[in-house]
Amino acid sequence: MYITCLDLEGVLVPEIWIAFAQASNIPELKRTTRDEPDYEKLMNWRLKILKEHHLGLKEIQETIASIDPLPGAREFLDELRSFTQVIIISDTFTQFAAPLMKKLGWPTIFCNSLEVAEDGEITGFRMRIENSKLTTVKALQSIGYETIASGDSYNDLGMIQASKAGFLFRSTEKIKADYPELPAYETFPELMAAIKKAMD
């Protein structure tokens, strides 16, 4: 039995933090897991910037409300879910993901949670489990699933490399150059064809 594991941001929806960096006019917040492999370090740095600018969950959620899935993402997911189980494994947070899941037709997502004070300040974050993408893929394999995985960033490499088939999708030139052994695709039809071929 197969299960397909997909990253969220950069694969199915635009990067939330890049959109918020543009909306808030704070260019430093454009830094993502495509740039910084250490997610905990990246998040702590983001929270420090939010605190300096007196920005909280409400402001980020207002930006997220304006974000739509990437063109073709909903149709891609609908077709994929018609013939295989799909889980989105993301390092984002439940407080960010819900409006986007609605626009994607409520696929299953495994992600993390934010710690938010009564005044809306984001005071911290709780990771669901350490190295969540790789750990989740290994757990699925331990209960009898063959996994297929795709993502665009450094934090996706573990689950991609550990899966029976793994693909980079809309990744950076640097990541593609550093991992030439990983097939890399730019469009949903290409990725769909690769997933179907891996399942044959």
Side-chain angles (χ1 to χ4, degrees), residues 112-154:
N112 306 304
S113 60
L114 293 168
E115 295 169 350
V116 184
E118 283 186 19
D119 65 358
E121 181 189 347
I122 302 172
T123 56
F125 56 96
R126 285 196 301 276
M127 303 301 281
R128 182 171 52 83
I129 194 168
E130 191 175 342
N131 204 354
S132 65
K133 298 187 181 194
L134 175 60
T135 306
T136 302
V137 157
K138 286 190 167 177
L140 291 167
Q141 292 165 351
S142 78
I143 56 171
Y145 283 100
E146 295 268 24
T147 60
I148 296 171
S150 185
D152 68 326
S153 297
Y154 285 105

Side-chain angles (χ1 to χ4, degrees), residues 24-26 28-29 48-56:
S24 62
N25 204 23
I26 305 172
E28 307 96 282
L29 287 174
K48 181 170 163 283
I49 293 172
L50 291 177
K51 191 176 179 71
E52 286 169 4
H53 290 268
H54 307 290
L55 294 168

Side-chain angles (χ1 to χ4, degrees), residues 8-9 13 16 57 60-61 64-67 69 74 88 90 92-114:
L8 177 64
E9 293 178 65
V13 303
I16 290 168
L57 180 60
I60 300 174
Q61 286 179 328
I64 292 170
S66 71
I67 294 175
R74 171 74 188 260
I88 297 170
S90 173
T92 193
F93 305 95
T94 53
Q95 295 93 333
F96 291 178
L100 298 168
M101 293 305 99
K102 183 177 182 182
K103 292 179 180 180
L104 287 169
W106 296 111
T108 299
I109 183 168
F110 292 173
C111 59
N112 306 304
S113 60
L114 293 168

Side-chain angles (χ1 to χ4, degrees), residues 10-56:
V11 173
L12 299 171
V13 303
E15 293 278 353
I16 290 168
W17 287 98
I18 290 177
F20 185 63
Q22 291 165 341
S24 62
N25 204 23
I26 305 172
E28 307 96 282
L29 287 174
K30 286 185 178 176
R31 191 168 177 77
T32 71
T33 49
R34 289 171 161 222
D35 313 298
E36 173 53 69
D38 186 332
Y39 189 74
E40 198 154 318
K41 179 179 170 186
L42 178 64
M43 270 309 299
N44 283 321
W45 180 76
R46 286 167 169 168
L47 295 188
K48 181 170 163 283
I49 293 172
L50 291 177
K51 191 176 179 71
E52 286 169 4
H53 290 268
H54 307 290
L55 294 168

